[in-house]
Every structure is written in structure tokens, then in C-alpha cells.
């Protein structure tokens, strides 16, 4: 793929909100959130700078609700607030295990989070703090995938690692189709041509234009994140 994963100094970890729900259909599973925090700490202890973007689908999904009649702008802002709730929950678990963490929000909510300022975020990372980017892009009509791509570019991350409930990219949903085919690696063109649902098209385009690779891994699997960063073995899917 052009370089060894061991060279990644700064990563952007995109976590879907549904992952935090665990086996529940909604909400936040404290036990699972704690496990994810422990895995993040393990990677952070290797002197890797970590930025994180979390979705809000476990609490509120703007697109789905707007399809049922709610104003899309209002629905998207509710979704952004859901990402702030998830971000604060993860920050709490990280700080319990002595990880210095900052939540920076694109929406103004000073009681819970700092306002997002790119230079300040970069400084936090340089000081060894984990930075959680909340509130999406701060604008309706843009998903947290777009926010992840945007923040990764702004902080000059080496890679986006997208943590989901599956261990890579498939041609169909492996939870519904046991014959689904898994890809080991893909080009951006293959993703677009085959209409694979990795990230939304805006996010994919941003990554492609900025030559930012994406890896898709199962965040629930204990060793996937560590193996991807510190092993030559392929884990998940790499898009470049």
C-alpha cells in the first residue's frame, strides 16, 4: 500500500454511533464504551496522536427522521447534538483511565466542550491529548463521515480509521448475507464505481483529493486497531 502502518504518527478514528449502543438498539452501553476507551488508551500509549469523530446514530439519526416528515435542518441539528452526547460519554471513560482528553465542538456548547479551532486542536494533539471532535461540521446536510474527512485533513492526519461493527468492506451487508464478499483493499475508483457504502460521497471525494487513505475495521474486536497499526498483517480494508 505504499508505506508501513507502523509509521502512522497521527490518526483520525471515526466511530459510528451505533457501536456505542452495543447489543442495545439505541443509547450508550457504558461497559462497551469503557472497552473502547481502553483500546484507544492502548494505542495512545504508543505515542500515536489520536483525533476522534463519533456519529450519533445510536441516539438520533437526522436523515431517517427527516424522511418521516421533520424539517431536515432541525433533524440534522438534533443529530449533531447526539454526537456531542456520545463525545462527552467517551471523554468521561477515557479520563477515568487517565487519558487527558478534550472535546471540541463545531456547535457552541461551552459548558461541555471547547469551540473547535484548528490550531488549538493541533496543539492539543502535540501535547499528547486525545481530541474528540463533536457536533459534525456544524452544518446541516453534512454527515459525520464528512466531518471525519474534514477534520483529518485539517489536523493533517496520516489516515482515517473507520471503526464499525464489521471487519472491513463487503459487497453486501455481512450481517444479512453470509455469502457477502469481503475486499482486502480497494481504490477510491472501485468504491465509487461499485457504489460501496464506506463513507458518504462527499467524504470519499475529500479523502481522494487529499490522498488520505482510509481503513475500515471492526472496533469491537480487541486486537483489530492494534494489529492494524503495529502489524504487517492485513486487518480490515484499506482504501487508497
Amino acid at each position: 500500500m505504499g508505506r508501513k502502518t507502523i509509521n502512522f504518527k497521527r490518526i483520525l478514528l471515526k466511530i459510528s454511533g451505533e457501536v456505542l449502543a452495543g447489543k442495545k438498539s439505541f443509547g450508550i452501553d457504558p461497559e462497551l464504551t469503557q472497552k473502547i476507551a481502553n483500546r484507544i488508551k492502548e494505542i495512545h500509549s504508543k505515542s500515536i496522536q489520536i483525533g476522534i469523530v463519533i456519529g450519533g446514530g445510536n441516539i438520533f439519526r437526522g436523515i431517517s427522521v427527516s424522511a418521516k416528515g421533520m424539517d431536515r435542518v432541525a433533524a440534522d441539528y438534533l443529530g449533531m447534538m447526539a454526537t456531542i452526547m456520545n463525545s462527552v460519554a467517551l471523554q468521561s471513560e477515557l479520563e477515568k483511565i487517565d487519558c487527558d482528553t478534550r472535546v471540541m465542538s463545531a456547535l457552541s456548547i461551552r459548558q461541555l466542550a471547547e469551540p473547535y479551532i484548528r490550531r488549538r486542536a493541533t496543539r492539543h494533539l502535540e501535547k499528547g491529548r486525545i481530541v474528540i471532535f463533536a457536533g459534525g461540521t456544524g452544518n446541516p446536510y453534512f454527515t459525520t463521515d464528512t466531518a471525519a474527512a474534514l477534520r483529518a485533513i485539517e489536523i493533517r492526519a496520516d489516515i482515517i480509521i473507520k471503526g464499525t461493527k464489521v471487519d472491513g468492506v463487503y459487497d453486501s451487508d455481512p450481517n444479512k448475507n453470509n455469502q457477502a464478499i469481503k475486499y482486502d483493499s480497494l481504490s477510491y475508483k472501485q468504491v465509487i464505481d461499485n457504489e460501496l457504502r464506506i463513507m458518504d460521497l462527499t467524504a470519499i471525494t475529500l479523502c481522494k483529493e487529499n490522498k488520505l487513505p482510509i481503513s475500515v475495521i471492526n472496533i469491537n474486536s480487541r486486537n483489530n486497531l492494534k494489529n492494524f497499526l503495529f502489524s504487517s498483517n492485513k486487518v480490515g480494508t484499506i482504501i487508497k
Side-chain angles (χ1 to χ4, degrees), residues 74-103:
D76 279 357
Y77 275 114
L78 289 173
M80 287 180 235
M81 287 190 279
T83 72
I84 296 171
M85 295 169 67
N86 283 337
S87 297
V88 172
L90 181 59
Q91 179 189 37
S92 176
E93 293 301 330
L94 285 166
E95 291 188 335
K96 284 180 185 177
I97 53 177
D98 300 320
C99 289
D100 195 4
T101 308
R102 297 290 188 274
V103 174

Side-chain angles (χ1 to χ4, degrees), residues 18-235:
E18 289 88 344
V19 168
L20 296 186
K23 295 180 180 179
K24 303 177 181 179
S25 58
F26 65 91
I28 299 171
D29 182 335
E31 184 178 343
L32 182 56
T33 306
Q34 184 181 53
K35 288 180 180 178
I36 292 172
N38 284 324
R39 290 164 195 163
I40 292 170
K41 179 180 180 178
E42 187 176 3
I43 301 306
H44 188 248
S45 68
K46 306 294 185 181
S47 298
I48 291 180
Q49 298 173 10
I50 303 176
I52 303 171
V53 171
I54 309 175
N58 56 318
I59 298 172
F60 192 92
R61 185 171 289 281
I63 294 176
S64 298
V65 175
S66 68
K68 296 179 181 178
M70 179 180 283
D71 176 72
R72 173 65 187 271
V73 173
D76 279 357
Y77 275 114
L78 289 173
M80 287 180 235
M81 287 190 279
T83 72
I84 296 171
M85 295 169 67
N86 283 337
S87 297
V88 172
L90 181 59
Q91 179 189 37
S92 176
E93 293 301 330
L94 285 166
E95 291 188 335
K96 284 180 185 177
I97 53 177
D98 300 320
C99 289
D100 195 4
T101 308
R102 297 290 188 274
V103 174
M104 305 190 81
S105 175
L107 297 179
S108 180
I109 183 164
R110 293 178 182 273
Q111 292 86 346
L112 290 175
E114 297 179 17
Y116 171 70
I117 300 171
R118 182 180 65 86
R119 290 183 181 273
R120 183 179 293 175
T122 301
R123 187 62 177 150
H124 283 321
L125 291 166
E126 291 171 346
K127 288 185 175 181
R129 295 165 182 154
I130 296 170
V131 180
I132 305 175
F133 301 106
T137 66
N139 302 287
Y141 295 98
F142 292 94
T143 69
T144 50
D145 282 348
T146 300
L150 179 61
R151 298 295 179 245
I153 293 164
E154 289 178 319
I155 65 171
R156 297 182 179 177
D158 297 311
I159 191 168
I160 294 178
I161 301 175
K162 185 170 183 181
T164 68
K165 289 183 175 181
V166 295
D167 60 350
V169 179
Y170 291 80
D171 64 345
S172 60
D173 189 343
N175 293 317
K176 298 178 180 179
N177 177 16
N178 58 15
Q179 301 298 318
I181 299 172
K182 180 185 173 185
Y183 300 95
D184 289 326
S185 62
L186 287 162
S187 68
Y188 287 111
K189 187 176 187 301
Q190 286 175 302
V191 171
I192 294 170
D193 288 349
N194 292 291
E195 298 182 348
L196 299 174
R197 297 183 64 182
I198 315 308
M199 303 176 81
D200 67 60
L201 189 58
T202 303
I204 287 288
T205 301
L206 280 171
C207 292
K208 180 179 183 296
E209 290 179 349
N210 289 274
K211 299 180 180 179
L212 181 65
I214 305 167
S215 175
V216 182
I217 65 171
N218 183 349
I219 195 68
N220 288 335
S221 178
R222 177 171 182 80
N223 292 318
N224 266 9
L225 185 58
K226 183 174 69 174
N227 285 348
F228 176 76
L229 290 168
F230 302 110
S231 170
S232 60
N233 295 328
K234 286 186 178 179
V235 175

